[in-house]
Amino acid sequence: MKKLYKILLTIYITTLLFTLWFHFQYNLLVSIILLVPLYFIKETLYRNEYILYIYLTQVLGSTCGFYNLPYYDKIMHFLSGCIFVIIAYILLKPLTQLPKLLYVMLNCVETAIAFLWEVFEYSGLLLFNYDASRHYTTGVHDTMQDMIFSFLAGLLMTYIIYKYPSYIDSLYKSQPDNLAEVSQQEHI
């Protein structure tokens, strides 16, 4: 896991340097600032997911212009719906004993984050004249599609969590990064 993290971080930084070399833009600053939370994320699995997600959305999407590719934006919103439902599940599961309420809460959290993301995109238009939401060309149509894609992904991920909770729990259970070292200590 740590090796994968180092590879992802290297790709992330190399892409930023390459982009900086050829064309500086304010998106580069956002891409660099988004590296700061990595300092606070201790679990390697979460670090890998975080860096991969911000690489796909911010570095490739905004900085390198992948959002101009057909359906790239929709794929990223779908992915975000999946990711935020998983994060909500991990954070909220210990706080509630009512499974039905938990499933509703997962989708409420995901929908709220999708809404806040669209507000963030719109503020980019107002403050920096950066039209990430294509408000000039598509108006509310793009925003609604983005939120629907995110919502559908959230519902799908909630169903997967409902059907296979032990798999999701085992995948996100805190495990040591160096299993060989831990297993040797257990024999002592």
Side-chain angles (χ1 to χ4, degrees), residues 100-115:
K100 290 180 183 177
L101 177 62
L102 175 64
Y103 300 130
V104 171
M105 289 170 50
L106 297 179
N107 288 284
C108 288
V109 168
E110 179 279 320
T111 303
I113 292 172
F115 166 75

Side-chain angles (χ1 to χ4, degrees), residues 11 44 65 67 70 80 115 120 126 148 168 181 186:
I11 292 170
T44 306
Y67 281 124
S80 73
F115 166 75
F120 171 73
L126 295 178
I148 290 168
I168 301 295
E181 187 175 298
E186 288 176 356

Side-chain angles (χ1 to χ4, degrees), residues 137-176:
T137 56
T138 64
V140 76
H141 182 69
D142 181 69
T143 299
M144 291 309 299
Q145 281 185 337
D146 292 349
M147 291 189 69
I148 290 168
F149 271 83
S150 183
F151 180 71
L152 291 175
L155 288 177
L156 176 65
M157 190 54 61
T158 300
Y159 178 74
I160 291 170
I161 290 170
Y162 170 75
K163 288 295 279 182
Y164 310 103
S166 59
Y167 175 73
I168 301 295
D169 290 339
S170 67
L171 183 63
Y172 288 93
K173 186 179 281 187
S174 181
Q175 297 177 358

Side-chain angles (χ1 to χ4, degrees), residues 10-85:
T10 302
I11 292 170
Y12 189 100
I13 292 171
T14 304
T15 306
L16 288 180
L17 291 174
F18 182 79
T19 306
L20 178 65
W21 182 263
F22 287 102
H23 179 68
F24 177 79
Q25 50 187 316
Y26 84 92
N27 284 330
L28 284 168
L29 299 175
V30 174
S31 298
I32 293 168
I33 291 169
L34 285 172
L35 288 173
V36 172
L38 286 172
Y39 178 76
F40 301 101
I41 302 171
K42 300 303 178 199
E43 296 289 332
T44 306
L45 179 62
Y46 302 140
R47 291 174 126 197
N48 290 342
E49 287 180 350
Y50 176 78
I51 198 164
L52 183 62
Y53 182 71
I54 62 172
Y55 180 75
L56 291 172
T57 57
Q58 180 59 35
V59 177
L60 292 182
S62 294
T63 305
C64 296
F66 277 39
Y67 281 124
N68 294 325
L69 298 174
Y71 304 109
Y72 190 82
D73 180 47
K74 304 306 174 235
I75 293 167
M76 292 302 104
H77 279 280
F78 191 86
L79 180 62
S80 73
C82 293
I83 289 171
F84 290 123
V85 163

